[in-house]
């Protein structure tokens, strides 16, 4: 079976990330990991993610870097390097996936 990792790019939108992570708990396909690729949001984001990980029903890895301007692609490259999955799904932290989002990717991944 193919392993799946969602890579979520974020920058300072904690509320939106919370909604997205909540939507992931309702996915019909349950076997996936999440890597949060943070472009330097700071301590509030890190604290939020650490607290969320405790009650999450899926695995979350949090990666961050210093806020030195727009360097989204650099943190995304780091996230790709950290993943061991066969299939990667990229999503911005302010996008809310429908309940079959991961299932649709999985079934159409070839």
């Amino acid at each position: 079976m193919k392993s799946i990792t969602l890579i979520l790019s974020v920058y300072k939108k904690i509320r939106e990330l919370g909604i997205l992570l909540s939507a992931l708990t309702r996915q019909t396909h349950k076997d996936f990991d999440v890597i949060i690729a943070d472009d330097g949001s700071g301590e509030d984001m890190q604290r939020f993610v650490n607290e969320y990980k405790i009650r999450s029903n899926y695995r979350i890895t949090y990666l961050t870097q210093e806020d030195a301007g727009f360097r989204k692609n650099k943190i995304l490259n780091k996230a790709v390097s950290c993943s061991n999955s066969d299939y990667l799904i990229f999503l911005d932290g302010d996008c809310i996936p429908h309940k079959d989002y991961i299932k649709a990717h999985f079934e159409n991944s070839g």
Side-chain angles (χ1 to χ4, degrees), residues 6-79:
L6 273 80
I7 297 179
L8 312 178
S9 59
V10 299
Y11 181 71
K12 295 195 177 189
K13 293 184 177 181
I14 294 172
R15 180 179 157 272
E16 290 83 351
L17 177 60
I19 295 167
L20 166 54
L21 294 174
S22 180
L24 293 180
T25 65
R26 293 186 284 280
Q27 290 296 300
T28 54
H29 184 96
K30 303 285 187 192
D31 188 21
F32 61 90
D33 295 331
V34 170
I35 298 176
I36 298 173
D38 179 14
D39 189 15
S41 298
E43 291 179 16
D44 288 343
M45 178 68 79
Q46 187 166 5
R47 191 171 19 263
F48 170 78
V49 172
N50 287 337
E51 290 171 5
Y52 195 92
K53 285 167 69 170
I54 294 168
R55 64 181 188 274
S56 175
N57 63 348
Y58 48 85
R59 293 169 299 280
I60 298 174
T61 301
Y62 178 69
L63 303 175
T64 191
Q65 62 190 4
E66 180 184 352
D67 188 358
F70 183 78
R71 298 184 308 148
K72 174 183 173 181
N73 292 332
K74 184 174 183 175
I75 196 67
L76 287 175
N77 285 339
K78 186 176 178 182

Side-chain angles (χ1 to χ4, degrees), residues 1-7 29-34 59 82-89 102 105-107 109-110:
M1 181 180 224
K2 240 181 242 183
S3 57
I4 297 174
T5 295
L6 273 80
I7 297 179
H29 184 96
K30 303 285 187 192
D31 188 21
F32 61 90
D33 295 331
V34 170
R59 293 169 299 280
C82 289
S83 173
N84 294 319
S85 293
D86 303 314
Y87 191 77
L88 302 176
I89 301 172
I102 298 172
H105 267 275
F106 181 76
E107 289 176 350
S109 65

